[in-house]
C-alpha cells in the first residue's frame, strides 16, 4: 500500500484538518471533527445535511457552502457515519425550518440516518439517492446504489433551499431530481482502504469491471478492457434506456473520475458520452467533468445524466460556493 | 496499459474536443485544434499565451479564460507544441498590446516558444518559470524545471493583464512572481505515456522518488516510502530554505496532486505542509489544494509556496473564470 499518510488511524482526522484550514472562508469543523458545517447558517432556511463513508472526496464535505449543503458528516473510510455524529450536525445547522437528509442508498447509511432522525425528534425528512443503473440488490445495498448523481441532487436542492423553499417542497424536489438522474461506472483498477492495506478486489492487466460501485463493489460483469467509445456506448446506453428521455430532452452530463483517472481521459470520455447521447436525439446542455465522487485512488469513471426541465436548469445554474463546486458566487 | 481511450493517436484530439464542448461558455478551439483560446478577447489587453506538452491537465487549457490565459497551446503528450501552433495561437488572441508567453523551463518548450517569437516579428516577451528546487540541469532541462508554481504565475499575470497592465510591467511581474515561487514534488508511482505503452520509470512497492519532475524525471533520490509528515518536512524544508522568507512572511500554499492521488491524501498533505510552514514562523494565508499540474495518472504530489506582498495577494484574489480555477466571477 502506497499512500501519503502518517498511519491508517489518523487519515480521516488529518485530512479533515487540512480541508477545514484550506477552506476556512466557507466551512468549519464541528467539535471533535464530528462534521463539517457551513460557517454561517441562514435563519428560516431548511438545513441540508448529507454524509457517508469517507474516501469519496470531495463528496460530501466539498459540497458544503452557499447554495449546496449546510453540513456533511464523514464516517471512517467506506464506513457509515454514526447516528450521534449525524444528530450533532443536524442540531448545529438546523434553524427552525426543518432538516432534509440526503442519503446515498447503502444499508449502513440508510440505517444510521434513520436512527438519527428518530433521535432528533424534530422535523426531518430524507431524500434517498439510488441513481446507479448497473445492479439491483448488490453488496451492502437493497435496491440500487446511490452514486455520483447524488451531487446533482445536492446542488439542485441547495439552490432551492437558498430560495427558502419549505421542507416538504424540497423533499419532493429531491425525489424528482433523483428520479431524473441515472449513472453507471467502470473501474480499470481497484482501490485500497488504508486500514485494510490491500486492494478491495483484483483486476487482471487486461480487465475492467463494468458497472462497478463507488466502493469497488462488483458490477454487471468483468470483461476485457474495451475502447472509450465502446465503454461510453454501454454506460450511456444503460443510463438512457432507464431514463427513457423524450426526443429533444435536455440533460446535464456528469463524467466523474474515481480518483486515479487523468483529467485528459475524463474529457475524452465526456466527448465519447456526448456523442452517444446526441446520437439518440438528446441534447447535452450542461457539462460537469472531474473527480467529484471518488473511490480513493480507483481508476475509472462514471457517466451520469439528469433530465432537465426549466426549473431544474435554473436551479443547476444558480450560484454555488463550496470547496469543490463554485460558480456565480 | 489501462487507459480510457480509443487509441494513442487520437487521445489528444478527442480530449480537446471534450474539453471545448464542456467549457463552451469560456473557450473555443483554434482551427485544426492547434490551440485553445478564450471565446472573447479584450482590445488593448496584453495577450497571455502558455502551452507545453499534454498530460498535465488541467494545465494549461484549464486556465484559459477571464483573469488568466488568453490561449493555451497543447503539444502531444509530454511533447512540446510546435512553433507554428504557438504562432497561430498568438496571432488569434493578440489585439495590439503585445503578447506575453509563459513557458515552463524545458529545453523543447523554450526553443519552440523562442522560434515562435522570432516568426511572429511583433512585440512578444517571455516569462520562463523554473520553480522546482529539487534538481539543477536534469533530463530535458538546463537549470531548474518549471512545475506547479507556473499556475500561480499565470493567475497573477492574468489578473494584472485584465487591469490593463502594459507588456513590460507584466514581464517584470511574472519574473518577480516566479522568483517568489518554489516547488518540490514526490512520486509514489510512475505514469504511462499512451504512445509508449509502458511506464516512464519503475518504483518498487516500498519506494518513492523524492524531487520527481512532472514527466516522471528523476529527482534527488529514490528512497523508502516515508510518512506524510516526513515527506512534507523534506519538501517544505527545501522550498523554504530556497525562498528564505522573512519572519512573518505570508504565503500561498499549493498542494498539487499528480493525477492519481486521492483528494483525501492531498488535504492530509496540506495539513502536514501547513504545520511545517507555520512552525517556521511563516503564515499560510491562501490555500489551493487539488490536481492542477498533473503527470497523467502518477500518484504523488508537489508542494509550492509563493511569498506574497499586498499587490500579489490582491492579484491572486482577483476574479478568475476558467475551467479549473474559478472565483469571484
Amino acid at each position: 500500500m502506497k499512500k501519503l499518510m502518517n498511519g491508517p488511524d489518523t487519515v480521516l482526522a488529518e485530512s479533515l484538518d487540512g480541508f477545514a484550514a484550506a477552506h476556512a472562508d466557507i466551512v468549519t469543523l464541528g467539535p471533535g471533527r464530528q462534521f463539517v458545517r457551513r460557517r454561517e447558517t441562514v435563519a428560516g432556511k431548511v438545513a441540508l445535511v448529507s454524509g457517508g463513508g469517507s474516501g469519496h472526496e470531495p463528496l460530501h464535505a466539498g459540497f458544503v457552502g452557499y447554495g449546496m449543503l449546510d453540513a456533511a458528516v464523514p464516517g471512517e473510510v467506506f464506513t457509515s457515519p454514526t447516528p450521534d455524529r449525524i444528530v450533532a450536525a443536524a442540531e448545529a445547522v438546523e434553524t427552525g425550518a426543518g432538516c432534509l437528509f440526503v442519503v446515498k442508498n447503502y444499508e449502513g447509511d440508510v440505517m444510521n440516518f434513520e436512527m438519527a432522525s428518530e433521535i432528533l425528534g424534530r422535523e426531518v425528512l430524507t431524500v434517498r439517492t439510488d441513481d446507479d443503473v448497473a445492479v439491483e440488490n448488490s453488496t451492502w445495498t437493497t435496491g440500487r446504489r446511490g452514486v455520483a448523481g447524488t451531487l446533482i441532487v445536492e446542488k439542485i436542492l441547495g439552490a432551492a433551499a437558498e430560495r427558502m423553499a419549505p421542507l416538504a417542497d424540497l423533499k419532493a424536489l429531491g425525489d424528482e431530481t433523483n428520479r431524473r438522474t441515472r449513472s453507471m461506472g467502470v473501474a480499470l483498477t481497484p482501490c485500497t482502504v488504508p486500514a485494510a492495506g490491500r486492494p478491495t478486489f483484483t483486476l487482471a492487466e487486461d480487465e475492467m469491471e463494468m458497472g462497478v460501485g463507488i466502493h469497488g463493489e462488483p458490477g454487471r460483469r468483468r470483461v476485457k478492457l474495451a475502447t472509450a467509445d465502446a465503454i461510453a456506448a454501454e454506460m450511456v446506453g444503460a443510463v438512457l434506456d432507464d431514463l427513457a428521455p423524450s426526443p429533444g430532452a435536455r440533460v446535464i452530463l456528469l463524467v466523474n473520475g474515481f480518483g486515479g483517472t487523468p483529467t485528459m481521459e475524463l474529457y475524452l470520455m465526456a466527448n465519447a458520452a456526448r456523442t452517444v447521447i446526441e446520437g439518440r436525439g438528446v441534447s447535452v446542455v450542461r457539462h460537469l467533468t472531474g473527480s467529484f465522487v471518488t473511490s480513493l485512488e480507483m481508476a475509472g469513471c462514471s457517466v451520469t445524466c439528469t433530465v432537465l426541465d426549466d426549473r431544474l436548469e435554473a436551479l443547476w445554474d444558480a450560484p454555488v460556493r463550496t470547496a469543490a463546486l463554485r460558480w456565480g458566487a
Side-chain angles (χ1 to χ4, degrees), chain A:
Chain A
M1 172 173 54
K2 279 186 163 177
K3 292 191 184 286
L4 295 166
M5 65 177 185
N6 292 307
D9 295 344
T10 57
V11 166
L12 178 57
E14 293 177 62
S15 179
L16 285 171
D17 285 351
F19 179 81
H23 303 288
D25 53 329
I26 299 176
V27 303
T28 185
L29 288 182
R33 304 187 187 90
Q34 289 185 99
F35 53 87
V36 175
R37 58 162 287 178
R38 256 170 95 158
R39 192 162 267 287
E40 277 129 38
T41 52
V42 180
K45 191 185 87 67
V46 171
L48 294 182
V49 176
S50 189
S54 294
H56 305 301
E57 292 72 21
L59 184 86
H60 296 274
F63 303 134
V64 172
Y66 177 82
M68 220 159 160
L69 299 176
D70 293 280
V73 193
E76 290 294 325
V77 174
F78 292 180
T79 302
S80 300
T82 52
D84 57 310
R85 288 177 166 236
I86 303 168
V87 168
E91 287 182 335
V93 296
E94 207 271 335
T95 61
C99 183
L100 186 65
F101 288 162
V102 181
V103 182
K104 300 190 299 300
N105 189 36
Y106 296 95
E107 280 165 11
D109 289 358
V110 169
M111 187 176 70
N112 288 2
F113 274 90
E114 270 178 10
M115 286 175 63
S117 293
E118 286 163 22
I119 295 166
L120 276 162
R122 63 179 82 183
E123 208 177 4
V124 178
L125 295 176
T126 298
V127 171
R128 199 187 296 184
T129 61
D130 60 353
D131 52 307
D132 189 346
V133 301
V135 290
E136 294 273 347
N137 301 333
S138 57
T139 327
W140 306 317
T141 318
T142 306
R144 287 175 168 185
R145 304 176 293 216
V147 291
T150 307
L151 93 82
I152 295 174
V153 174
E154 291 177 352
K155 168 66 183 83
I156 283 172
L157 283 175
E162 220 64 64
R163 295 175 184 187
M164 298 296 174
L167 181 60
D169 290 7
L170 289 174
K171 158 75 175 156
L173 174 66
D175 287 343
E176 189 193 343
T177 306
N178 178 57
R179 277 194 300 275
R180 288 167 166 268
T181 299
R182 295 290 184 271
S183 302
M184 187 162 153
V186 65
L188 306 194
T189 70
C191 57
T192 297
V193 175
R198 50 184 196 300
T200 51
F201 61 106
T202 54
L203 275 172
E205 253 314 295
D206 60 347
E207 283 181 339
M208 61 182 183
E209 182 73 31
M210 179 60 77
V212 73
I214 57 171
H215 311 88
E217 308 96 304
R220 290 185 171 186
R221 56 207 179 86
R222 183 161 298 188
V223 290
K224 297 286 180 203
L225 188 62
T227 63
D229 284 348
I231 293 170
E234 177 164 353
M235 296 202 298
V236 172
V239 163
L240 292 186
D241 287 350
D242 204 89
L243 278 173
S246 317
R250 293 167 294 149
V251 298
I252 300 170
L253 168 59
L254 163 60
V255 173
N256 173 63
F258 283 144
T261 312
T263 302
M264 201 176 189
E265 294 180 31
L266 295 180
Y267 281 114
L268 189 151
M269 284 300 296
N271 188 54
R274 184 174 53 91
T275 304
V276 178
I277 294 167
E278 301 205 325
R280 290 177 57 153
V282 172
S283 296
V284 177
V285 295
R286 294 292 180 276
H287 275 271
L288 186 66
T289 313
S291 294
F292 295 105
V293 179
T294 61
S295 306
L296 297 164
E297 73 283 2
M298 192 160 86
C301 73
S302 60
V303 169
T304 300
C305 291
T306 298
V307 179
L308 293 171
D309 59 15
D310 291 346
R311 182 174 63 142
L312 294 190
E313 190 170 311
L315 291 168
W316 178 256
D317 289 345
V320 61
R321 184 166 179 266
T322 68
L325 271 197
R326 189 189 293 217
W327 55 72

